[in-house]
Amino acid sequence: MMKNKTIILLAAAIIMAAGCIASCSKDNKDEEKPITPVHDEGLDLKLGGWTVGSNPYASYIPSDGDSLVIFATKTDNSTCILVYSSPTWGVATLQNVKIEKNDTAYIFSKPVTVTLREDRSAWDFSIEPTDTFYIPNRNPQTEQFTVKPYPVTLSSGYLTLDEPRRWQFDFDAYLVPRSNHIQHVSFRNGHVPAMQ
């Protein structure tokens, strides 16, 4: 029952993100556009790129064809919602992310202090409720996977002003407190680099 509820929640999050993207953006399927305006005004963008993931058990897990949608929540572009989506990593939604603009880039931040309890029973977050990352957990023995929500934080993020524009958004998902298992996910412009 809980498994079905989790899958339904993930499906709803994906449908909402896809619905917002589909209704607000103009896609040209004949031409790849790594940056698509979601609206004509303000910092509302869909970014396409790739992701590198790392954790204590695997230092390099790449994923191509991922996206990040930025929805400005104030007319002065001072805060936004980030919706990250990946076929490998799942869907993360972060609310009330602060945006600052300098001479070269937009800087995204949402400082959160995370403390692991002494008995390793849980993490405590300085901001509640936490943002959520719905991550698929794959069983290597079968084709099946389950989706589970985890707390997520934005450790850093930027989007350059110059052309060609570059970006990187780094997330930390807090998985298993008992083993201090944190999943690092870094979304970037471009594609997965070819192996040398």
Side-chain angles (χ1 to χ4, degrees), residues 54-61 175-176 178-183:
S54 62
N55 60 49
Y57 309 102
S59 61
Y60 181 74
I61 310 167
L175 307 186
V176 184
R178 182 69 51 192
S179 60
N180 196 15
H181 189 170
I182 300 170
Q183 178 68 56

Side-chain angles (χ1 to χ4, degrees), residues 19-52:
C20 289
I21 294 165
S23 65
C24 298
S25 67
K26 297 177 181 177
D27 293 329
N28 183 347
K29 294 183 180 178
D30 297 330
E31 179 182 332
E32 181 180 352
K33 293 185 179 179
I35 301 180
T36 305
V38 177
H39 297 296
D40 293 333
E41 298 177 10
L43 185 65
D44 289 341
L45 302 171
K46 177 184 177 185
L47 309 176
W50 72 288
T51 303
V52 58

Side-chain angles (χ1 to χ4, degrees), residues 65-142:
D66 300 343
S67 67
L68 179 84
V69 182
I70 303 167
F71 294 104
T73 52
K74 293 193 180 287
T75 55
D76 63 356
N77 287 336
S78 61
T79 61
C80 69
I81 298 169
L82 300 179
V83 180
Y84 166 79
S85 181
S86 165
T88 301
W89 296 110
V91 177
T93 303
L94 292 91
Q95 307 279 344
N96 300 315
V97 176
K98 183 178 179 182
I99 307 171
E100 293 181 299
K101 185 179 179 183
N102 60 28
D103 292 339
T104 60
Y106 290 104
I107 307 299
F108 299 81
S109 64
K110 185 174 181 181
V112 179
T113 302
V114 184
T115 306
L116 179 61
R117 294 179 186 174
E118 278 191 35
D119 63 359
R120 292 179 175 261
S121 61
W123 279 287
D124 292 317
F125 297 85
S126 60
I127 296 176
E128 294 286 353
T130 61
D131 294 311
T132 306
F133 203 152
Y134 289 91
I135 299 177
N137 296 303
R138 291 175 174 83
N139 183 341
Q141 308 301 323
T142 69

